[in-house]
Amino acid sequence: MTATRHPLRLGMAGGGEGAFIGAVHRKAAALDGDWRLVAGAFSTDADRSRRSGAALGLDPARAYASIDALIAGEAALPADERIDALAIVTPNHLHAPMAIAALEAGFHVFCEKPMAISSDEARAIAAAAEASGRRFALAFTYSGYPLVEEARVRVARGDLGAIRLVQVEYLQGWLSLPIDGEGNKQAAWRTDPAQAGPGGCLGDIGTHAFHLAEHVSGLRVEAVAADLATHVAGRRLDDDVGALLRFNNGARGLLKASQVAAGEENGLKLRIHGERGGLEWAQMEPNTLTLRWLDRPAETIRAGGPGLDPRTGALLRTPSGHPEGYIEAFANLYRAFAATIRGEDAWYPGVGDGLRTMAFIDAIVANAASDRKWTTIPSGETE
């Protein structure tokens, strides 16, 4: 007789009224039935947190006034009632204190990226995760797309030959005007060094581009030559990033991220070229992977279509021609996170990915502020 598989219990820090990404996390976590939201501290405003909990249908006693109250309240419940994991969907400066407190209390953590606002904070999270034996996941959502996995598999098995070129760009236009000084809360915290950390566009979307480039290529960036720009007058952090990349196998790369590319929506694109061929994937057309070859016509690979690796097929939910997108990619990470908590084998972005991206931020900021041509990204603890 098959045992009943109950959803894991999820708590949430942040993501209340007026927030954007919290609702995305909730939808993604719920999609496969692996998670059930049961508690939250949805705002630093206690009334707003209670209203958010009520709107989500939670027990009023589990819509907490603060993260401290959530952790204490949940820890006091019986093991079969308390949360299994905490999703942290707050501005960056709250990631480390919340994650460390949750891990030390025995809860797994699924955290928004970047991991923290400094490498020191990121290392403190890593130490807390190791000491507690709990899982720590990061929302590098684009790694959850099925055809990103297909691209990764094809590179890893050598289809393209030795990799020579990696180009990644992430273009948005929503910060082209000074809306961060005009009451837009989502813009305001992302351009505030105290809340976002040392990188604006760099930390918000540049880290996504960097993570995607390393994840799919299977390579590690050893050094960067960078330019950071702030185009909007009075803005305190960068809104435009460019970098040359040197990879550990000798490959060369380009990274471009901007939030002032007026008219752009969410233009994340990746191109990788080896000695025998290349591939291209774009987030706004995520169900298509294009392969180009030296010696034969180009191929268009479609989600759900023929020729996919079984690992790609495991990430799909609908037949060919039925589009899947951002929520489904996010859900793949939550599904993998649940699987590992249950003792199964699955991959999701975790501590190592977080340390790598924090080291990337440090190297870009240092290089852009200096007259050095190249700045090395340390290995070792970031691997």
Side-chain angles (χ1 to χ4, degrees):
M1 186 173 181
T2 303
T4 302
R5 190 183 182 97
H6 296 289
L8 297 170
R9 295 173 296 277
L10 184 68
M12 182 166 283
E17 294 177 356
F20 157 66
I21 202 65
V24 174
H25 276 259
R26 291 190 290 268
K27 292 169 185 174
L31 189 60
D32 295 309
D34 285 313
W35 294 96
R36 180 168 63 92
L37 184 72
V38 298
F42 300 103
S43 172
T44 53
D45 180 291
D47 289 338
R48 185 174 296 142
S49 184
R50 284 191 287 269
R51 288 196 304 269
S52 298
L56 294 167
L58 299 188
D59 177 347
R62 298 178 80 176
Y64 296 95
S66 69
I67 185 65
D68 291 340
L70 183 153
I71 290 174
E74 292 299 305
L77 294 173
D80 61 352
E81 295 181 21
R82 68 175 69 117
I83 62 171
D84 295 293
L86 179 70
I88 299 174
V89 295
T90 65
N92 304 345
H93 70 295
L94 297 174
H95 292 180
M98 289 183 172
I100 291 168
L103 290 164
E104 290 178 344
F107 302 123
H108 305 283
V109 171
F110 194 115
C111 188
E112 260 303 320
K113 47 94 302 266
M115 192 173 183
I117 63 170
S118 72
S119 289
D120 284 345
E121 283 193 350
R123 285 188 285 268
I125 294 172
E130 183 175 9
S132 68
R134 298 300 170 181
R135 301 283 182 172
F136 179 86
L138 275 166
F140 283 112
T141 312
Y142 306 107
S143 61
Y145 275 104
L147 289 189
V148 166
E149 176 63 9
E150 184 69 17
R152 188 198 66 77
V153 168
R154 287 171 180 259
V155 171
R157 74 188 185 196
D159 289 13
L160 307 183
I163 301 303
R164 293 170 171 169
L165 306 174
V166 180
Q167 300 175 74
V168 61
E169 68 175 40
Y170 198 159
L171 303 182
Q172 297 176 342
W174 73 291
L175 288 179
S176 288
L177 298 176
I179 60 173
D180 39 330
E182 299 172 354
N184 185 306
K185 292 177 65 176
Q186 295 298 321
W189 79 255
R190 284 174 169 83
T191 57
D192 176 4
Q195 297 185 76
C201 172
L202 172 63
D204 196 28
I205 63 174
T207 52
H208 273 304
F210 172 79
H211 182 262
L212 189 69
E214 287 203 336
H215 177 64
V216 177
S217 72
L219 304 175
R220 290 292 178 264
V221 177
E222 289 188 330
V224 298
D227 179 57
L228 291 178
T230 304
H231 291 282
V232 175
R235 185 165 285 162
R236 290 177 289 171
L237 287 174
D238 62 275
D239 50 29
D240 187 63
V241 184
L244 300 175
L245 311 175
R246 283 183 172 175
F247 289 87
N248 59 321
N249 74 331
R252 296 299 193 262
L254 296 170
L255 183 149
K256 179 65 182 175
S258 182
Q259 293 177 312
V260 294
E264 293 287 346
E265 297 176 69
N266 210 56
L268 175 59
K269 297 180 180 179
L270 176 69
R271 298 179 183 89
I272 297 178
H273 291 86
E275 59 190 349
R276 293 196 296 271
L279 61 80
E280 180 176 343
W281 178 83
Q283 194 273 156
M284 290 178 64
E285 291 290 341
N287 298 302
T288 298
L289 175 66
T290 302
L291 304 175
R292 296 186 175 90
W293 308 104
L294 278 177
D295 57 355
R296 59 187 187 274
E299 298 177 53
T300 298
I301 308 300
R302 293 285 293 164
L308 297 177
D309 188 270
R311 286 164 286 189
T312 301
L315 300 178
L316 289 160
R317 295 172 179 79
T318 60
S320 177
H322 295 75
E324 297 186 20
Y326 183 65
I327 299 293
E328 291 86 351
F330 221 133
N332 284 331
L333 302 190
Y334 265 103
R335 184 167 63 186
F337 187 48
T340 60
I341 290 171
R342 291 181 171 128
E344 301 165 18
D345 185 29
W347 178 88
Y348 56 82
V351 167
D353 302 271
L355 293 172
R356 283 291 299 169
T357 49
M358 292 308 303
F360 165 72
I361 291 173
D362 289 346
I364 292 286
V365 170
N367 185 267
S370 76
D371 58 2
R372 288 176 291 172
K373 186 172 182 180
W374 292 97
T375 296
T376 299
I377 298 179
S379 57
E381 67 182 15
T382 67
E383 296 301 320

